Amino acid sequence: MLGIDAAWTATRPSGVALAVRQAGRWTLRTVAPSYDHFLALAEGARLTTRPAGSLPDAAALLAAAARIAGEAVALVAIDMPLAHAPIVTRRPSDNAIARAFGAWHCATHSPSADRPGALSDTLRAGFAAAGYPLRTGDASAGGLIEVYPHPALVRLAGGTRRLPYKAGNSAKYWPGEPLAVRRGRLHAEWRRIAALLATRFDGLADQLPPLGDHPAGVAAKAHEDMLDAIVCAWVGVTALEGEADAFGDDGSAIWVPRALSGTGVDAAG
């Protein structure tokens, strides 16, 4: 299972996570803060440079994942607008998510012809050429799916509202609080998310780099991107195992895990 928190432009890094199934359980094999870092891991190296943006190479990412996992990837789950036709505005899938999860403050951002634009088309076409077509109704046979971490995390946490974990929004989450207080609360939320994901993936604590005492700037964003990539991989697992629903139509669909047993959480509306 390959999870990608794909940036909408080639200038920003994209987190990548790889999970494998062993003896009926899913294990996080590796996670990286950028495409280049992930490709380096497949070569037995570990980059120490700051994560940078780059154009995604579907074939190279799949080959690297297979080298690390020892087998071909079954499904690729990407947090980026994807569709069978070029995206120029909001899609039925975006509107379906807004209807189902808007009360949780989990509506999607509006895609356009510029963002992600051609980057989305190139990504979808690259994976299709490698044998991973976009799936909008049944993901059990593998392929490529679009996912969205925000409603997935609400389901995982058993809550009813979008989790406050985006570094760029800390002033909105906790207005008027000093920066040090906001960072402390943000990092506590990241630790909480990691603990929740560890209930779904063995080995997470071994693969996700420790948060550190006071991460900020590039280091903080890299940690957030890796968490999102792991969430993408988890949503992919649920879709592959028939435990997620596709919101949209034949042209595009966003996959969200169903309510976990015992949480009592369902979609709003």
Side-chain angles (χ1 to χ4, degrees):
M1 180 62 58
L2 189 63
I4 302 176
D5 175 38
W8 287 24
T9 69
T11 60
R12 294 183 177 276
S14 301
V16 185
L18 177 66
V20 298
R21 183 160 45 192
Q22 299 174 323
R25 294 178 61 85
W26 285 92
T27 297
L28 184 66
R29 180 58 59 84
T30 193
V31 61
S34 76
Y35 295 134
D36 289 342
H37 282 71
F38 183 75
L39 296 176
L41 289 173
E43 299 297 330
R46 188 173 292 274
L47 296 183
T48 58
T49 54
R50 62 186 293 170
S54 62
L55 288 171
D57 184 330
L61 290 168
L62 290 166
R67 192 174 301 120
I68 295 170
E71 59 185 4
V73 168
L75 184 70
V76 182
I78 299 184
D79 176 19
M80 172 183 274
L82 300 169
H84 287 295
I87 299 171
V88 295
T89 187
R90 285 185 69 83
R91 307 157 298 160
S93 53
D94 296 307
N95 295 331
I97 288 291
R99 287 192 299 271
F101 303 102
W104 295 0
H105 300 265
C106 289
T108 64
H109 295 290
S110 294
S112 69
D114 296 322
R115 296 183 71 254
L119 185 59
S120 169
D121 298 333
T122 300
L123 198 63
R124 173 187 49 78
F127 278 105
Y132 293 76
L134 179 63
R135 304 294 189 186
T136 58
D138 183 3
S140 61
L144 173 71
I145 64 171
E146 178 184 346
V147 302
Y148 185 42
H150 287 298
L153 280 170
V154 176
R155 284 268 164 85
L156 184 60
T160 56
R161 185 181 175 88
R162 176 174 174 162
L163 275 58
Y165 78 102
K166 289 295 181 179
N169 291 335
S170 68
K172 295 180 182 179
Y173 300 147
W174 306 291
E177 294 288 355
L179 178 60
V181 171
R182 299 201 310 268
R183 281 181 178 168
R185 292 180 179 177
L186 186 70
H187 300 163
E189 194 67 22
W190 287 348
R191 293 186 177 94
R192 177 193 177 208
I193 291 171
L196 288 168
L197 289 168
T199 68
R200 303 292 136 181
F201 289 129
D202 294 340
L204 186 141
D206 297 327
Q207 298 301 329
L208 181 65
L211 186 56
D213 294 330
H214 304 287
V218 173
K221 187 62 171 66
H223 194 86
E224 179 188 302
D225 290 345
M226 287 188 284
L227 281 176
D228 271 333
I230 299 170
V231 176
C232 292
W234 172 61
V235 180
V237 167
T238 66
L240 188 65
E241 296 183 342
E243 298 172 351
D245 294 313
F247 291 78
D249 58 13
D250 291 342
S252 68
I254 299 171
W255 293 78
V256 180
R258 298 187 188 127
L260 302 184
S261 176
T263 65
V265 179
D266 204 348

